[in-house]
Amino acid sequence: FVHNLEEAYAIGPALPRLEATWGRLLGRPLMLPSVHQYYIALVIVTGIAFGLLLVARLWDPASYALVVLQAVMTLNVLTHVLGAVLLVGYAPGVVTAILVEAPTSGLVFHRLREARWMSRAQWRLLPFLAVLLHGPALVGLLAWVRTP
């Protein structure tokens, strides 16, 4: 939640620089979603996260979805750091990604492994699900909020 607040606060001023940098890196102009469209996407993603939390509290098998969400946030840390490197400076969300999400992920995965809460198959599936949700699913959400 805090991470999404940072992104929401910082996306407006950063959007022109993000479009210019990604356009230069891709070799063609790039039009990212508007600030308002990013807000919509952030509200949807935050709502899904809170919804998963509620479902997992009521139905224990859904707890694995929270672990997948944490894996997505772990991958998100890497993308924010990469974004800051490519931008040669601040990228929206990088501060909370490093100070909140990275240590939280480390703690969560350490405790899960220590408690032997997940099977080997679940551990092996985790990176695939994180990449799938952080990549195609997130890009799809951003494309969806851009549609008129």
Side-chain angles (χ1 to χ4, degrees):
F1 178 72
V2 173
H3 176 70
N4 288 356
L5 284 176
E6 180 194 357
E7 287 185 323
Y9 177 76
I11 194 65
L15 200 52
R17 191 168 51 96
L18 290 167
E19 284 183 335
T21 301
W22 283 111
R24 189 180 72 251
L25 291 171
L26 295 173
R28 62 181 173 79
L30 179 70
M31 187 171 170
L32 295 173
S34 70
V35 172
H36 179 73
Q37 291 165 334
Y38 269 109
Y39 290 164
I40 292 169
L42 288 169
V43 167
I44 290 169
V45 168
T46 304
I48 289 170
F50 278 112
L52 281 176
L53 178 61
L54 290 174
V55 170
R57 300 284 293 176
L58 299 172
W59 186 52
D60 200 44
S63 297
Y64 184 68
L66 291 176
V67 176
V68 172
L69 179 61
Q70 193 64 52
V72 170
M73 293 308 298
T74 303
L75 183 57
N76 197 44
V77 170
L78 300 175
T79 60
H80 281 290
V81 171
L82 177 62
V85 169
L86 292 175
L87 291 170
V88 191
Y90 177 78
V94 73
V95 173
T96 51
I98 292 169
L99 297 179
V100 177
E101 295 304 332
T104 300
S105 292
L107 179 65
V108 166
F109 292 124
H110 173 74
R111 287 189 176 176
L112 286 169
R113 191 170 294 283
E114 203 171 64
R116 299 182 196 278
W117 189 80
M118 294 187 337
S119 69
R120 284 182 181 225
Q122 287 174 311
W123 280 109
R124 281 193 297 268
L125 189 58
L126 202 54
F128 170 76
L129 293 173
V131 168
L132 182 68
L133 290 173
H134 193 274
L138 188 57
V139 169
L141 173 63
L142 290 173
W144 179 74
V145 297
R146 284 195 61 186
T147 57

